[in-house]
Amino acid sequence: MNLTATCFLGLVTGSLLWITHAHAQEAEPGKEGKVEAQYSREIDQLARDKQIQKAFQHIVAQQKQNREELIMLTEIPAPPFMEQKRGIRFASMLKEAGADSVWTDKVGNVIALRKGRKGKGCVALDGHLDTVFPAETDVKVKMKGDTLFAPGIGDDTRGLVAVVAVLRALEDAKIETQSDVLFIGSVGEEGLGDLRGVKHLFSDQSCRIDSWISIEAGAMGRVSNMGLGSNRYKITFKGPGGHSWGAFGLANPQHALGSAIHYFSKAADKFTRSGARTSFNVGRIGGGTSVNSIPFASWMEVDMRSEIPENLVLIDSLLKASVQKALEENNQMRRSGPALTVEFERIGERPSGELAETLPLVQRSMASVAYFGASQKPVGGLRTQISPFQKESRR
């Protein structure tokens, strides 16, 4: 039997997530997407194949193993830039599952290759290794009823387990795909990781990837076909510093920082109340050495997001104008000493973009999750709408 890898991966991944339970954060509401009849028929026909049925049976049979591995991986802390220990264990799981080759690239991505029959294309199935939680977080898994709870168990340790389980199902059912398939644990998805793993995979330093499927936290029925863009900065005000009494009158970086936050919040609040959804957040601030000293430096980290590039450009300009206004105002207020300076450091840049709902990759993904009836809750990018054909085919 010879299958298009994207069809199989979508269908088998759907079956795996359908029977797996882990607590994950709620995702933002999404719009409803309709599955075209031809893709419903394609997936339904594929699901009736004996080898695919065997793959489904294998996934059901390995529930206990999946559960144990989900707990094991979750309890290995993996903040951004500290994914190595989890990556080593994940690589060994891919080797044991039967991949043709397994390696770790120079940025830390763990990659396994399963060769296709023709090898003319390359499909990637990815889960990210890192979690958003710092290294000292208690990641011990707890169980309530039939649900597992722990920081990072849904985002995205469950995705990693799904990646390995799909590889095992392919091997067990002896299914051949036309294209090569890469099974990946990527690094740097969260926080200041800035998608460094995925960016490297799509650079000229890596092999060509024709189709990309990423498994993330969230309910069944969510198909994300849109990339949410973000700009992130660390902004630092600097000055001479001094004693709060003896050097009073010097320009104060902390005061300038507070002014910048105030001006930006007012301008950005007005801007984001209409048009395409856009967000802003001052996530961290710092600076100073004691209550009775004027700081030498004060900093903040700012995150701005939007679904369209134009809005990111506009809110970015509001931030810079607000910082400049605060800088000039506080320098004018100083009574002595040198002027404050400010530095902008870009600490994150993620492009926004969208794939059309009508593309075969998106349609097949929606058809795969719809096959299992997972379309009731609208979360994420697209909510899948079940076609009458699929309702009939499962009666």
Side-chain angles (χ1 to χ4, degrees), residues 6 42 60 76 94 105 192 194 199 244 253 255 261 266 301 322 343 383:
T6 51
E42 181 183 80
V60 172
I76 302 174
L94 291 170
D105 68 20
L192 297 180
D194 197 33
K199 286 179 178 178
S244 63
H255 297 178
I261 294 172
K266 287 187 68 176
E301 290 179 350
S322 300
E343 294 179 357
R383 170 194 174 188

Side-chain angles (χ1 to χ4, degrees), residues 27-33 221-227 307 354 357 362 366 378-384:
E28 63 189 65
K31 65 180 181 179
E32 187 175 87
R222 183 180 85 171
V223 176
S224 296
N225 64 323
M226 175 184 289
E307 298 170 345
E354 183 175 4
E357 177 188 327
V362 179
M366 290 196 295
V379 293
L382 289 172
R383 170 194 174 188
T384 308

Side-chain angles (χ1 to χ4, degrees), residues 1-5 8-9 94 97-103 111-123 167 170-171 174-183 207:
M1 179 184 182
N2 204 331
L3 296 174
T4 302
F8 172 77
L9 293 177
L94 291 170
D100 292 319
S101 58
V102 180
W103 69 97
I111 305 169
L113 169 66
R114 188 177 191 270
K115 295 179 181 178
R117 182 176 177 180
K118 294 185 177 180
K120 291 184 178 180
C122 181
V123 176
L167 173 57
L170 276 165
E171 289 292 304
K174 295 181 173 55
I175 293 173
E176 288 185 295
T177 57
Q178 294 177 353
S179 301
D180 293 341
V181 182
L182 296 178
F183 297 86
C207 62

Side-chain angles (χ1 to χ4, degrees), residues 277-312:
R277 185 177 180 189
T278 305
S279 70
F280 64 96
N281 181 61
V282 178
R284 296 207 307 154
I285 59 174
T289 56
S290 69
V291 69
N292 63 330
S293 61
I294 300 169
F296 293 97
S298 301
W299 55 267
M300 62 177 169
E301 290 179 350
V302 185
D303 171 270
M304 300 168 290
R305 304 184 184 212
S306 184
E307 298 170 345
I308 61 173
E310 293 80 5
N311 274 28
L312 267 184

